[in-house]
Amino acid sequence: DNAFVPTRGFFVSIASEAASTLHDTVSQGTVFFSRFLKLQFTGNGYIPIWRSIVLAGQLRVGRIFPLQLGSRTYPNRAFFLGGVETLRGYYEDELIPQDVADEARRQHTQAQTTTSVVRSGDAFVLLRSEVRFPIYGPLGGGLFADFGNLWSNAANMNPFDLRPTAGAGLRLSTPVGPIAVDYGIVLIRRVDLGEPFGTLHFSIGLF
């Protein structure tokens, strides 16, 4: 019912992208090429609870399908999680893929994990929920919980193994859309991987 601050209704989006390298490259005897199909689904729903209180929810799922054996995904074409548009307890694009984190823990390479690991993945699942309520005039508040995870290898994807975050924030209505300030907390921290306690986010617009 409103493009900037919806209070009822739903939104569904399906996106696809096909990619192929023009020239295969060889580095240290290894041939690198990308030929894949990237698919992503997004579904938002908005339910008025009482007066001006609204429950907003979002489901996002993405996966990259290789079209040729040996195809690898360029990091800038892969998925990332963390930040104001995904998991608000983490910094932007900070989340380490679950299978990469598991392997680092098995090999006891925590120090390298937090600095040199590529944090992109071929599959992700994200669930977000938020209760929005008025405070005074154009100022409102929000309580949220985000659950999601990322996998470097799509074959390792487990939609039930999600990282939980939660927090609260303020929303200020303006003619160009709401301005939001949120603070998210990582509920189950992987301290050995350098995950933060929480993160402050600023954004223009809401999901």
Side-chain angles (χ1 to χ4, degrees), residues 8-175:
R8 65 175 68 245
F10 64 93
F11 168 85
V12 175
S13 170
I14 299 175
S16 65
E17 175 184 348
S20 177
T21 47
L22 296 178
H23 301 284
D24 299 347
T25 59
V26 180
S27 176
Q28 297 180 349
T30 301
V31 178
F32 183 96
F33 65 92
S34 284
R35 293 179 182 87
F36 62 83
L37 179 65
K38 181 179 180 180
L39 298 177
Q40 182 170 328
F41 168 85
T42 300
N44 296 353
Y46 310 93
I47 302 173
I49 300 176
W50 180 68
R51 294 188 178 180
S52 298
I53 301 176
V54 176
L55 173 64
Q58 182 183 74
L59 168 65
R60 290 168 60 186
V61 181
R63 181 161 180 170
I64 291 175
F65 297 88
L67 300 179
Q68 183 175 335
L69 188 65
S71 171
R72 292 191 289 170
T73 308
Y74 274 108
N76 68 334
R77 308 312 305 159
F79 298 111
F80 293 84
L81 285 189
V84 67
E85 295 184 354
T86 54
L87 288 173
R88 283 169 277 188
Y90 294 87
Y91 294 106
E92 194 71 21
D93 298 341
E94 180 193 33
L95 185 69
I96 297 174
Q98 186 64 48
D99 46 357
V100 173
D102 292 341
E103 182 62 24
R105 282 174 158 177
R106 282 193 293 268
Q107 297 182 6
H108 303 287
T109 56
Q110 293 92 336
Q112 294 181 2
T113 301
T114 58
T115 58
S116 61
V117 149
V118 175
R119 302 180 186 229
S120 60
D122 281 0
F124 82 95
V125 175
L126 178 66
L127 291 167
R128 308 173 78 195
S129 61
E130 182 171 300
V131 177
R132 300 168 182 166
F133 52 88
I135 296 178
Y136 181 78
L139 183 64
L143 300 174
F144 63 83
D146 302 333
F147 303 85
N149 216 338
L150 180 69
W151 293 269
S152 176
N153 185 344
N156 298 324
M157 180 179 179
N158 179 1
F160 302 103
D161 185 10
L162 304 180
R163 309 296 307 163
T165 67
L170 297 173
R171 289 91 175 85
L172 180 65
S173 296
T174 72

